[in-house]
Amino acid sequence: MSLIFLDSFDHYIDIVGASGKYDIGGNNCALVAGPQRTGIQCLQVISAAFGPSKAIRQTTDPLIASSYYSTGAGYAYFLSNNGAGASVSNVRLTINADGSLTVETFAGSGNFTTAALLFHFHAYNALGLRVTGCGSAVSRLRLWCNGVLVLDQSGVNTTNGGGRPLYCNGFQLMGCGGNADTCYHDDVYVLDCTDAVNNTYLGALRIYAGPPVSNGVVQWTPSAGTNWSNVNAIPPTGAAYNSSATVGQADQYLHPLPGGVPANSTLFAVQHCQDLQIDSGARSVTSDIAGTSSAASVALANGFLIYTWPYDINPATGLPWNAGVDFPLLAGPAVT
């Protein structure tokens, strides 16, 4: 599996905590309705450079990409081997006032800067940063801007000192900093390029969120109403929910192709998001796609959290996702 995480910013309002998708919220960040690129929201970072961060599964070949809008110079991304504390960095991407981009390292290899006038201020720019051999003394840096590979540098030291491990396991979305400037991220994705599929920059993707519209096979007990209508709120509220403590029980809901997605679209991946908490006892829950349960169960915590299951292919068919064949999609939670 190559896709680690993706985010449209369209189906929740809290960056961290209940119904949030990030581990640390950063400074002066908000999900706002404008100027979004896809869907109804985007991530705004103002006044300070540090946006939300997230721990991810470790990889030695991470790629982070988003559509990035900025009114001034400043940071765009951190990649680190410090988990959610991503500001302790291996690699940082910076936008410069002349429209050039700089990839910064912190272990003696110095900084690497592109030509000027590549980044356009006051507009969305498609950025992609890949660090092959991340955390090692012989890394390869690749940077894309608006569809063009603008930096390809090998033999770069991206270690971080202090005996830290030689991999990446966290990222942070950044802002331009300064009270006069504002930035926005939309359509973010992170890949593990050590895998066989989706293992290079995929371009300026559009990422859509879609809630369920009816029941499929339902086995969980609803708190009120019908199962699907308890879990279709955007943002999720936790006020209505479905609950089960029975191992093996699954609850499936019907998800149509999200609005805005053309029927003939190429789908690189799908991410199943579920807002979950412990009801009673100690249980783990996983993602069920059309009767196929993911092996990546999670032990639930107290308090609702958004858990994500990324899929490069449809696990029920073993084939790449097809907008015309795989949707409407049956998906829901399964007790393990």
Side-chain angles (χ1 to χ4, degrees):
M1 182 185 299
S2 178
L3 177 65
I4 297 176
F5 177 79
L6 60 79
D7 199 354
S8 67
F9 303 106
D10 295 326
H11 63 100
Y12 62 101
I13 57 174
D14 296 322
I15 294 174
V16 296
S19 301
K21 290 178 72 172
Y22 292 83
D23 300 314
I24 298 175
N27 302 322
N28 295 311
C29 303
L31 299 178
V32 299
Q36 69 273 16
R37 175 178 176 268
T38 303
I40 60 174
Q41 295 184 146
C42 57
L43 172 71
Q44 181 187 59
V45 186
I46 58 175
S47 298
F50 294 89
S53 62
K54 186 175 181 65
I56 57 174
R57 76 168 185 261
Q58 69 184 52
T59 173
T60 57
D61 196 354
L63 184 148
I64 183 170
S66 75
S67 291
Y68 185 72
Y69 179 118
S70 182
T71 64
Y75 304 139
Y77 311 129
F78 277 134
L79 290 172
S80 85
N81 54 14
N82 198 44
S87 58
V88 181
S89 302
N90 292 13
V91 177
R92 181 168 65 195
L93 175 60
T94 299
I95 313 302
N96 302 310
D98 65 355
S100 63
L101 302 94
T102 297
V103 180
E104 302 177 62
T105 66
F106 297 82
S109 284
N111 303 331
F112 302 90
T113 300
T114 70
L117 303 177
L118 297 177
F119 186 91
H120 304 283
F121 294 101
H122 301 276
Y124 273 109
N125 294 257
L127 300 179
L129 173 63
R130 178 178 177 182
V131 185
T132 302
C134 188
S136 78
V138 287
S139 302
R140 179 183 179 187
L141 305 176
R142 275 168 283 187
L143 176 65
W144 291 262
C145 181
N146 296 321
V148 178
L149 181 65
V150 296
L151 179 69
D152 189 346
Q153 183 74 40
S154 297
V156 179
N157 188 341
T158 61
T159 59
N160 202 16
R164 293 188 178 276
L166 304 183
Y167 54 70
C168 172
N169 67 350
F171 72 89
Q172 188 163 25
L173 302 175
M174 305 299 292
C176 48
N179 291 328
D181 293 316
T182 302
C183 88
Y184 304 90
H185 289 274
D186 206 354
D187 299 324
V188 170
Y189 60 95
V190 183
L191 305 179
D192 177 357
C193 296
T194 64
D195 291 329
V197 294
N198 290 335
N199 58 6
T200 190
Y201 178 57
L202 301 176
L205 303 187
R206 293 189 178 271
I207 300 169
Y208 295 87
V213 298
S214 63
N215 283 339
V217 178
V218 297
Q219 296 179 307
W220 288 28
T221 302
S223 61
T226 60
N227 289 53
W228 76 269
S229 63
N230 290 332
V231 295
N232 71 334
I234 293 181
T237 64
Y241 55 87
N242 304 316
S243 176
S244 174
T246 303
V247 173
Q249 279 198 344
D251 224 31
Q252 294 178 1
Y253 322 116
L254 194 68
H255 295 257
L257 197 66
V261 181
N264 62 347
S265 296
T266 297
L267 304 183
F268 288 103
V270 169
Q271 180 173 267
H272 187 200
C273 300
Q274 301 186 97
D275 196 36
L276 303 166
Q277 73 167 358
I278 288 177
D279 184 11
S280 61
R283 282 289 180 264
S284 293
V285 171
T286 194
S287 163
D288 180 287
I289 302 293
T292 300
S293 293
S294 169
S297 293
V298 295
L300 301 186
N302 291 312
F304 281 104
L305 294 172
I306 294 178
Y307 299 88
T308 59
W309 283 264
Y311 295 97
D312 294 297
I313 61 174
N314 185 337
T317 65
L319 299 173
W321 291 97
N322 185 298
V325 174
D326 295 326
F327 289 84
L329 178 68
L330 282 176
V335 186
T336 60

